[in-house]
Amino acid sequence: MKKYIWQLILLLGGMSLSQLSVAQTPTDGLMMPKGDICFLLNYEYGQFDHYWEGETLRKNGTIAKVQRRTALVMAAYGITNKLDAYIGLPYVSTNSTTPNGGKFAGTSGIQDLTLGLKYEVLRRRGEKGEWTAFGSVTFSTPASNYLSDYQPYSLGIGAPQLAWRGLAEYEWNNGFYIRAQGGYIWKGYTEAEREYYYNDGSYYTAWMDVPSAWTYEAVVGKWFADKSLRVEVSYNSSRSTSGDDIRAYNAPQPTNKVDMDRVGVFAQYFFNKPKGLGLVASYSRVIHGRNAPEMTAISAGVTYQFGLFTPKKLNK
């Protein structure tokens, strides 16, 4: 049975804070007013029973479903009206079920601490709408000593990551908007619990070079109810710059080339009373990949925004 379990092992660690569609993040088109702070508490549930071994989509009959639960605490702060800071920390729990109703034990714990900055480069108003452009940088590093080579149950990839992104958004006067972003995520080394691995050649070391990746996103959205509600549909793509494929009947590893195409829906609602309170929800599915899970995920969360030093009007 063990070889079939390993056949299902996947690199899931790339799904971190930088990819979450939640309120006031380094990858959206919103900015915090100077002195405002926004807290987010978000819960996400993801599952899959198919995966791509290289470019071949497979199903493992031994394991019916792999489950992944993430509780995220995040804060965003407006340093100035054009510069925001972010901090986030997820708690992850994993396990898998079997066709007869049994379970394989996973793991749980704190994943990666993420810090970020977003700067508004351009804001230009026209007769029909408004252009905005942003640049962001995020850094994440493991916040606990979890096992990065324990897939698909690992909490993450166990390596430091540094991401640069550029975003541009155009919003029409009727509330419709489009947004596009492109970025590069540098990923460092992770330490496995073995002194040898194969990556198109033999390596006698526990340190594995995790492939970096290019990311792209396209979003179409609209504001409703006097900007109390926004709804988005999105397409997100990630392409590793190097790496090898999962070999049949072998455990995958952090050196694998992981590519993913994902579609999603996101909504956020701002309450008039109590002022500053909001709700967020999302759904996403990986529709194509390489050494990746065919993951479906849903999430829901609550936000609260207020002036930290002096009362401010909410920037929605």
Side-chain angles (χ1 to χ4, degrees):
M1 181 181 292
K2 185 176 179 180
K3 69 179 182 180
Y4 295 109
I5 297 173
W6 278 118
Q7 193 179 14
L8 188 57
I9 297 173
L10 304 165
L11 293 173
L12 298 176
M15 296 181 178
S16 59
L17 171 66
S18 61
Q19 296 176 301
L20 293 177
S21 296
V22 292
Q24 285 85 20
T25 72
T27 60
D28 66 20
L30 302 180
M31 293 296 295
M32 301 285 294
K34 179 181 178 180
D36 264 29
I37 190 167
C38 181
F39 289 98
L40 164 74
L41 180 61
N42 194 76
Y43 175 81
E44 181 178 85
Y45 171 80
Q47 67 177 43
F48 69 91
D49 57 10
H50 285 72
Y51 70 101
W52 284 274
E53 182 185 272
E55 296 183 327
T56 302
L57 184 62
R58 293 187 179 275
K59 180 178 181 179
N60 191 316
T62 306
I63 299 177
K65 186 187 303 177
V66 176
Q67 300 171 324
R68 186 177 183 89
R69 298 169 176 86
T70 303
L72 170 68
V73 177
M74 193 186 81
Y77 177 71
I79 300 175
T80 72
N81 288 329
K82 292 189 175 184
L83 180 64
D84 289 352
Y86 305 86
I87 183 171
L89 190 65
Y91 181 90
V92 179
S93 175
T94 63
N95 70 274
S96 61
T97 62
T98 65
N100 61 10
K103 285 191 175 183
F104 289 110
T107 187
S108 62
I110 297 174
Q111 192 207 50
D112 298 346
L113 174 67
T114 298
L115 304 173
L117 292 171
K118 181 169 66 175
Y119 182 73
E120 182 185 297
V121 179
L122 172 70
R123 184 174 294 272
R124 182 171 298 174
R125 185 76 188 179
E127 292 184 3
K128 297 182 179 180
E130 184 177 58
W131 277 104
T132 50
F134 310 90
S136 72
V137 58
T138 58
F139 172 77
S140 66
T141 187
S144 65
N145 190 29
Y146 61 82
L147 303 179
S148 61
D149 205 23
Y150 180 48
Q151 302 290 341
Y153 309 113
S154 176
L155 305 183
I157 61 173
Q161 301 180 62
L162 185 62
W164 299 270
R165 292 182 177 86
L167 301 90
E169 180 174 290
Y170 184 79
E171 181 180 335
W172 285 269
N173 295 333
N174 61 7
F176 276 103
Y177 60 89
I178 55 174
R179 183 172 69 251
Q181 71 98 347
Y184 179 78
I185 306 177
W186 170 86
K187 302 177 185 181
Y189 285 82
T190 186
E191 186 176 10
E193 286 197 320
R194 46 181 165 145
E195 297 297 327
Y196 169 83
Y197 65 91
Y198 185 86
N199 174 20
D200 296 329
S202 296
Y203 290 80
Y204 293 90
T205 176
W207 290 97
M208 296 181 175
D209 188 2
V210 183
S212 299
W214 291 98
T215 64
Y216 311 93
E217 185 180 45
V219 175
V220 177
K222 190 181 189 310
W223 287 98
F224 298 92
D226 194 25
K227 287 205 167 183
S228 292
L229 171 68
R230 66 178 176 128
V231 179
E232 298 181 350
V233 293
S234 64
Y235 167 79
N236 183 285
S237 178
S238 176
R239 293 290 182 271
S240 293
T241 58
S242 61
D244 57 348
D245 288 327
I246 299 173
R247 292 182 293 157
Y249 302 104
N250 277 266
Q253 56 197 26
T255 63
N256 290 148
K257 180 181 180 66
V258 180
D259 297 339
M260 278 187 280
D261 295 307
R262 183 172 54 180
V263 294
V265 180
F266 167 78
Q268 181 177 17
Y269 181 75
F270 300 91
F271 290 95
N272 291 324
K273 293 182 181 180
K275 189 175 182 180
L277 184 66
L279 298 175
V280 293
S282 69
Y283 167 87
S284 67
R285 181 172 177 81
V286 177
I287 58 173
H288 183 265
R290 178 172 180 171
N291 303 307
E294 194 178 44
M295 174 79 77
T296 298
I298 58 173
S299 73
V302 59
T303 64
Y304 186 64
Q305 180 178 335
F306 60 93
L308 187 60
F309 299 112
T310 57
K312 297 283 185 178
K313 183 178 179 181
L314 293 180
N315 180 22
K316 296 187 289 184

